[in-house]
Amino acid sequence: FFYTNKKISPNNAPYLFYLVFHPSHFSNISSIMTGPVTAPTKTMSWTEFYEKTDNANKLMDRVWYCLASTEVVSDQKVFWEHWYWDEGEASKELTSGKPKTASNHTLTISSEDDKTVDYPVWPLAFTADSMKMYPAIDLKCVVIAPIPIGIQPVSFPTNDSKTEFRVDYCELMGKKLYFVFVLDPLISQESKDKQFEILEKEHGIKKEWFNDVQWDPKYEIGSAGEPDINPK
C-alpha cells in the first residue's frame, strides 16, 4: 500500500523506513481529517475472508484500483495494484504453516505533474489466518523487502462485483490506516455513497476520514499500463 514519489536511494532509505515506506504526508493527516481515525468495530474473520475470496484466488489476476485512503492520496490521479500468485503457488493449499506467496505490482501517477512511479514488486504472503505485505525498497544495487505489514480485511466484493469495495486495514507505528480498492475506478457516486454508508453502519468507519484518488471520469482501463484482466 504505502507508496511515495520520493526517489529511493541508500542515503534516504532510513528516512523512508521511518515513514513506513509511504508518502511523507503523515504530519498533515490530522489537519485534513475530521476526528481521529479509529480501528474498525467489525472486520472479516479469516474463515469468512477466504470463503469470499475463494482462498484468495479472487484477489489474484486482477487489477485493484485505489479509490480512497486515510493516507493522502489526493495528489494522485492513478493508483493501481496488480496482484498475482507467484509461479507454482496457485495450486497450493492454504495452511497455518508455510505461507503461499504472491506479488503486487503497483503504479501511481501524480495529478500535478503527471509523474509516473512504477514501484518494485512487493511480496505477499498468505496463511490460513494471516495476510502480509512486504514493502520493497530499491537500493539500486539490490531490492529489499525486510519488514512485513499485517493486513486485516474489512470487506470484499461479492463475486467480482464492480460496485462494492475491498477495504483493508492495518496499524503501523501507532497509526491506523485504511485503503479502499475497487475493480473499476469509474464506480458510480451512488455506489460509492452506499458502500461508505455500509462502512459506517457496520464497521464504524467514517467517510470523512478518507482522501480520494483523483480519477479522470473518462479514464480508460489499461491506459496507465495496467493489464485489462478484470472479470467482465
Side-chain angles (χ1 to χ4, degrees):
F1 296 102
F2 308 95
Y3 305 108
T4 174
N5 286 330
K6 291 181 179 295
K7 186 177 180 62
I8 298 173
S9 70
N11 292 332
N12 66 18
Y15 174 69
L16 294 173
F17 266 92
Y18 175 74
L19 293 176
V20 201
F21 318 109
H22 206 277
S24 55
H25 303 304
F26 283 137
S27 62
N28 298 326
I29 289 179
S30 61
S31 66
I32 61 174
M33 293 186 300
T34 53
V37 176
T38 59
T41 56
K42 177 185 175 184
T43 61
M44 300 180 77
S45 69
W46 290 108
T47 298
E48 180 186 7
F49 174 70
Y50 283 123
E51 285 179 353
K52 197 162 190 179
T53 63
D54 184 26
N55 289 329
N57 288 315
K58 289 185 177 180
L59 270 168
M60 305 301 163
D61 297 321
R62 287 157 175 78
V63 173
W64 294 97
Y65 296 92
C66 184
L67 194 68
S69 174
T70 52
E71 258 284 36
V72 179
V73 293
S74 53
D75 59 348
Q76 297 170 352
K77 65 178 183 180
V78 171
F79 181 160
W80 57 254
E81 299 187 353
H82 174 206
W83 286 41
Y84 54 94
W85 289 119
D86 292 342
E87 186 174 357
E89 293 292 305
S91 61
K92 293 182 179 179
E93 294 293 324
L94 272 170
T95 70
S96 295
K98 185 178 180 180
K100 291 182 67 170
T101 62
S103 294
N104 167 14
H105 173 209
T106 297
L107 182 140
T108 62
I109 301 177
S110 65
S111 54
E112 183 175 346
D113 58 7
D114 287 339
K115 181 179 180 180
T116 299
V117 182
D118 193 351
Y119 294 88
V121 171
W122 288 21
L124 306 166
F126 295 83
T127 68
D129 52 10
S130 72
M131 175 170 65
K132 295 180 180 179
M133 181 178 290
Y134 292 76
I137 296 180
D138 186 356
L139 300 179
K140 300 310 175 185
C141 57
V142 65
V143 175
I144 62 173
I147 301 176
I149 297 172
I151 307 301
Q152 176 60 57
V154 175
S155 64
F156 195 86
T158 302
N159 296 326
D160 291 311
S161 170
K162 293 185 177 181
T163 62
E164 296 179 11
F165 288 173
R166 166 190 153 201
V167 180
D168 292 339
Y169 169 76
C170 67
E171 296 186 12
L172 292 169
M173 296 178 66
K175 293 188 178 296
K176 297 173 173 59
L177 304 175
Y178 293 90
F179 284 80
V180 173
F181 294 95
V182 289
L183 289 169
D184 184 350
L186 302 185
I187 180 174
S188 71
Q189 187 62 50
E190 180 182 3
S191 293
K192 286 192 286 188
D193 290 344
K194 180 179 179 180
Q195 290 296 295
F196 274 117
E197 183 179 349
I198 291 171
L199 285 178
E200 181 158 5
K201 287 185 176 180
E202 298 185 7
H203 304 277
I205 300 170
K206 297 182 181 296
K207 180 180 180 180
E208 291 76 16
W209 296 343
F210 288 85
N211 306 288
D212 295 336
V213 175
Q214 303 302 306
W215 289 101
D216 186 331
K218 296 182 179 179
Y219 182 80
E220 295 183 7
I221 300 298
S223 63
E226 77 276 25
D228 185 2
I229 56 174
N230 287 350
K232 305 301 181 186

